[in-house]
Amino acid sequence: MHRSANLSKIKDNQEKIWDIAIIGGGSSGFGVALDALSRGLSVVLLEKSDFAKGTSSRSTKLLHGGVRYLAQGDVLLVLEALKERGRLLENAPHLTYNQPFIIPIYTWFDRLQYSVGLKLYDLMAGKWRLGKSKFISKTETVRRMPQIKQEGLKGGVVYHDGQFDDARMIIALAQTCDELGGCVLNYSKVESLTKDTNGKVDGLNFIDQLDGSHLQIKARMVVNATGVFADKILKMDNPDARKSIQPSQGIHLVFDQSFLGGKDALMIPKTSDGRVLFAVPWHGKLVVGTTDTLKDKPQLEPEALEKEIDFVLETAQAYLTKKPTKADILSVFAGLRPLAAPKEDGAKTKEISRTHKVILSDSKLVTLTGGKWTTFRKMGEDTVEYFPRVSGKNMSESKSATQKLHGFTIKPDEGHMAIYGSDAFQIRFMLKEHPEWREKLNPKYPYTIAEVIWIIRNEMAVKLEDVLSRRFRILLLDARAAMEMAPKVAEIMAQDLGMDQNWIEDELKEFKKTANKYIIKP
């Protein structure tokens, strides 16, 4: 997957009419791209920054049906998500895992309530079930989660859900779309939509943010899959368009895994404000979250609020014997959910449905809103179903449900190289050919020079943050370690990309500014 080659596909074919042009390089955009390509349609996808820069790299790292949505009675969403969860675990085993969860039980009523609810969850999963839910004793609960609060503990209810690496999933999707003949491009900002003489959207204008060139794309259908930024594109189409998105912020704190112990994830079904809290092992750390805070405006780099940090900390402290403090936070990251704006004021974010909506404007602009990571492929399929209606052309049946993702391998690596899937073999070959590339970027972490070179040459990373936040996940796992690694990574990138010392200094300055938002000053 090479950015220059994909940019040339557009520059050298300005007369080409693409079947579908997609704005947005997160899970929604790639869901649409994957499904359209599986039907043999021609696809171009543009992302204004890096792939998964926004919400899609800042999730709780769960592929789940949504136990909480089941409690809210959103049965159809849960059924759909459980099916999609199963498909993703089959199609990308190098990026997805079966994660056991434990709900600690402190009253016998809770045992009954959660045991019954999770049996229903098991039944709904059907053939896609990942494991049987069951009640375990207090002794077994403490053995599996050594740091859980024992006072009043009656036992635990175990259930299974999916876990994944969100940004790496997007990279695998981008590579898959590239291999299927799609043209995907990061750092390409859409400036305006174009319309034919009948006022129907027939393309877009964009700027390549790296070389400054202005380009045009003609397409039979244009899809707005920009998540929390959907209203910006809707206003390009119609300046009077009403607000369709209500951004809601969720934050996560990252700690050393020893604060929970064991390999199981903790699920607190009811916090002080009636939400759910997760503590999930991920890449050797513990990710704890999340919150639900309404935001007025969407931001590309949202920041955690003091009250959100305090809430997550206090809730975690109430359930853990080894109590985490602000000084123990390795990283904090915030993401914005693109919830559908409620029709009435005052609706609570936790009550706004996570189901997705496809909106067709009078000018035939197709907008995908809402949804959740787990159902991204189905969201894409439902969006592409609009193609005949918009273009007047027929298309084949969708094959995206069985599409194996780039790197697919039945036996992924055991260690940190698992995320590369089958590409790990080629990285190991690079290490063999160039022993000097074995050097670690940070003594505490396993990442090597060879991986940076692989990422630059094959994964369309062009900025320092692309590597440290979304190809490696070190910015989210340990922000201070990411800052320590930055100068070395910037040097390797500059050498491989043919950049000068000024580029290195600019990148380091920009990265430091971003990374500081992930660090909590005790």
Side-chain angles (χ1 to χ4, degrees), residues 101-112 114-115 118 134-145 148-159 265-269 319:
F101 285 76
I102 298 177
I103 300 176
I105 299 297
Y106 293 95
T107 71
W108 294 118
F109 175 73
D110 282 351
R111 174 182 174 173
L112 178 69
Y114 298 124
S115 293
L118 289 163
K134 61 179 180 181
F135 178 79
I136 56 172
S137 68
K138 176 179 177 177
T139 308
E140 177 74 355
T141 304
V142 174
R143 185 187 68 77
R144 288 175 68 162
M145 291 196 304
I148 195 70
K149 184 186 85 170
Q150 294 185 38
E151 187 189 336
L153 185 69
K154 307 278 191 279
V157 176
V158 180
Y159 74 99
L266 169 68
M267 195 262 221
I268 308 299
Y319 286 90

Side-chain angles (χ1 to χ4, degrees), residues 324-341:
T325 65
K326 277 189 180 172
D328 299 309
I329 299 170
L330 297 172
S331 190
V332 55
F333 61 94
L336 299 177
R337 303 175 191 89
L339 304 184

Side-chain angles (χ1 to χ4, degrees), residues 53-59 248-253 290-291 295 299-305 308-309 331-337 476 517-518:
K53 161 72 177 171
T55 307
S56 297
S57 62
R58 301 158 186 271
S59 72
S248 158
Q249 179 161 291
I251 74 143
H252 297 84
L253 306 181
T290 182
T291 54
K295 300 290 279 187
Q299 294 166 289
L300 200 54
E301 193 60 68
E303 289 184 64
L305 304 173
E308 292 180 299
I309 295 164
S331 190
V332 55
F333 61 94
L336 299 177
R337 303 175 191 89
L476 275 67
K517 294 176 182 177
Y518 291 69

Side-chain angles (χ1 to χ4, degrees), residues 245-285:
I245 297 294
Q246 172 58 71
S248 158
Q249 179 161 291
I251 74 143
H252 297 84
L253 306 181
V254 181
F255 300 99
D256 190 83
Q257 204 170 325
S258 62
F259 281 94
L260 183 60
K263 293 180 179 175
D264 296 283
L266 169 68
M267 195 262 221
I268 308 299
K270 210 157 195 184
T271 60
S272 59
D273 69 346
R275 303 192 191 283
V276 170
L277 193 90
F278 293 103
V280 186
W282 188 66
H283 292 317
K285 303 291 185 220

Side-chain angles (χ1 to χ4, degrees), residues 340-503:
K343 288 188 171 60
E344 324 79 43
D345 290 336
K348 292 181 181 175
T349 56
K350 63 179 177 178
E351 291 162 2
I352 299 172
S353 175
R354 274 9 180 206
T355 49
H356 59 278
K357 274 200 303 193
V358 183
I359 303 159
L360 183 63
S361 75
D362 293 340
S363 65
K364 293 287 202 284
L365 172 70
V366 179
T367 299
L368 172 57
T369 65
K372 58 200 284 279
W373 230 122
T374 312
T375 57
F376 83 96
R377 188 212 62 84
K378 184 67 171 72
M379 289 157 59
E381 185 182 315
D382 291 350
T383 306
V384 178
E385 289 291 340
Y386 278 73
F387 180 71
R389 197 164 141 192
V390 172
S391 69
K393 293 188 174 291
N394 295 326
M395 63 181 180
S396 307
E397 289 291 305
S398 169
K399 293 179 188 156
S400 58
T402 54
Q403 177 65 53
K404 301 285 186 263
L405 298 192
H406 177 90
F408 174 87
T409 173
I410 297 162
K411 280 194 167 181
D413 263 50
E414 287 290 309
H416 84 285
M417 297 270 277
I419 55 166
Y420 300 105
S422 56
D423 285 345
F425 173 79
Q426 293 181 68
I427 298 169
R428 292 199 186 287
F429 181 75
M430 287 167 68
L431 288 164
K432 197 175 169 185
E433 289 284 290
H434 300 272
E436 70 278 15
W437 290 356
R438 290 174 183 270
E439 187 189 329
K440 285 185 180 180
L441 303 167
N442 185 300
K444 289 188 287 184
Y445 292 95
Y447 313 111
T448 60
I449 291 173
E451 289 170 76
V452 179
I453 292 167
W454 171 266
I455 284 165
I456 299 163
R457 294 179 185 177
N458 299 281
E459 296 184 355
M460 239 187 247
V462 291
K463 288 183 171 286
L464 186 54
E465 188 200 324
D466 302 347
V467 176
L468 293 171
S469 181
R470 291 170 292 279
R471 307 307 187 277
F472 296 149
R473 306 311 309 277
I474 192 67
L475 180 59
L476 275 67
L477 293 166
D478 186 339
R480 285 180 180 84
M483 286 178 86
E484 288 164 16
M485 287 163 66
K488 181 77 178 167
V489 175
E491 270 180 43
I492 299 163
M493 290 183 78
Q495 201 172 346
D496 213 70
L497 293 167
M499 298 298 184
D500 60 14
Q501 190 60 36
N502 287 339
W503 182 87

Side-chain angles (χ1 to χ4, degrees), residues 63-116:
L63 292 171
H64 59 147
V67 174
R68 165 159 74 110
Y69 310 133
L70 186 58
Q72 291 170 4
D74 212 336
V75 175
L76 290 177
L77 174 64
V78 176
L79 279 169
E80 183 177 87
L82 286 169
K83 189 188 284 185
E84 291 301 315
R85 178 192 74 178
R87 285 172 169 157
L88 258 178
L89 266 82
E90 278 193 356
N91 293 333
H94 56 304
L95 292 167
T96 57
Y97 305 90
N98 178 342
Q99 175 65 59
F101 285 76
I102 298 177
I103 300 176
I105 299 297
Y106 293 95
T107 71
W108 294 118
F109 175 73
D110 282 351
R111 174 182 174 173
L112 178 69
Q113 183 184 7
Y114 298 124
S115 293
V116 170

Side-chain angles (χ1 to χ4, degrees), residues 504-516:
I504 293 175
E505 286 167 16
D506 288 346
E507 283 295 308
L508 286 170
K509 191 176 168 185
E510 202 178 317
F511 182 71
K512 188 179 178 183
K513 194 174 157 188
T514 301
N516 273 323

